[in-house]
Amino acid sequence: MLPHDYKDFREESTSVKYPLSYIVKPEDSCQGKGIYITRNWESIKPTDQMVVQRYMMKPHLIDSLKYDLRIYVFVNGINPLRIYIYKDGLARFATVPYQKPNEKNCSNLFMHLTNYAINKESEHYV
């Protein structure tokens, strides 16, 4: 959570010997607005109000596409723990086959993000 964790973010980014990729999300937005992928941690200002996550370089794929799966649960009790899993879930897919992020494809949100609001605009959306 930036700017609060900027020092830790900078230390992690400079301590690795290979370039990391990050997914950057504005903390006050939704439906994919303002999200971007970067390989340059220095492009993120220390004052930015953002959620920054290390980007998974080897995601699980279905038919070469990134996806996310949401399973909804209801926690009815903690002690003893009682959790009920809702019968329906949600899967969202990217619309362009995945490739590891590089300088040429980082801006291709149809490849790297699964947000419906973004992918519904893709020519490959079904």
Side-chain angles (χ1 to χ4, degrees):
M1 294 294 296
L2 301 184
H4 182 267
D5 296 319
Y6 190 82
K7 181 182 175 196
D8 294 333
F9 168 62
R10 183 186 67 227
E11 287 174 6
E12 178 189 75
S13 299
T14 57
S15 68
V16 295
K17 295 181 174 143
Y18 52 90
L20 295 173
S21 296
Y22 298 96
I23 183 166
V24 184
K25 304 174 184 181
E27 72 173 9
D28 60 353
S29 193
C30 62
Q31 296 185 334
K33 294 181 186 104
I35 295 178
Y36 65 95
I37 309 292
T38 185
R39 297 187 61 166
N40 179 10
W41 71 269
E42 293 170 317
S43 69
I44 303 168
K45 299 179 199 133
T47 55
D48 286 346
Q49 299 281 324
M50 300 283 194
V51 175
V52 179
Q53 299 168 303
R54 192 180 313 161
Y55 186 87
M56 287 180 57
M57 299 296 283
K58 295 181 180 179
H60 188 265
L61 306 174
I62 295 177
D63 291 338
S64 299
L65 299 173
K66 278 188 68 178
Y67 71 97
D68 67 33
L69 175 64
R70 293 184 180 196
I71 299 171
Y72 297 97
V73 299
F74 172 67
V75 179
N76 193 35
I78 300 297
N79 191 9
L81 183 61
R82 286 186 307 260
I83 300 174
Y84 297 92
I85 299 174
Y86 190 68
K87 290 182 181 181
D88 293 329
L90 176 67
R92 303 181 308 172
F93 287 82
T95 51
V96 172
Y98 176 77
Q99 297 173 6
K100 286 184 182 179
N102 59 48
E103 298 305 320
K104 293 180 182 176
N105 72 23
C106 270
S107 62
N108 188 339
L109 300 183
F110 300 136
M111 176 185 298
H112 296 292
L113 301 179
T114 59
N115 303 69
Y116 167 75
I118 291 172
N119 281 285
K120 71 179 182 179
E121 304 298 328
S122 170
E123 65 183 53
H124 304 291
Y125 179 77
V126 177

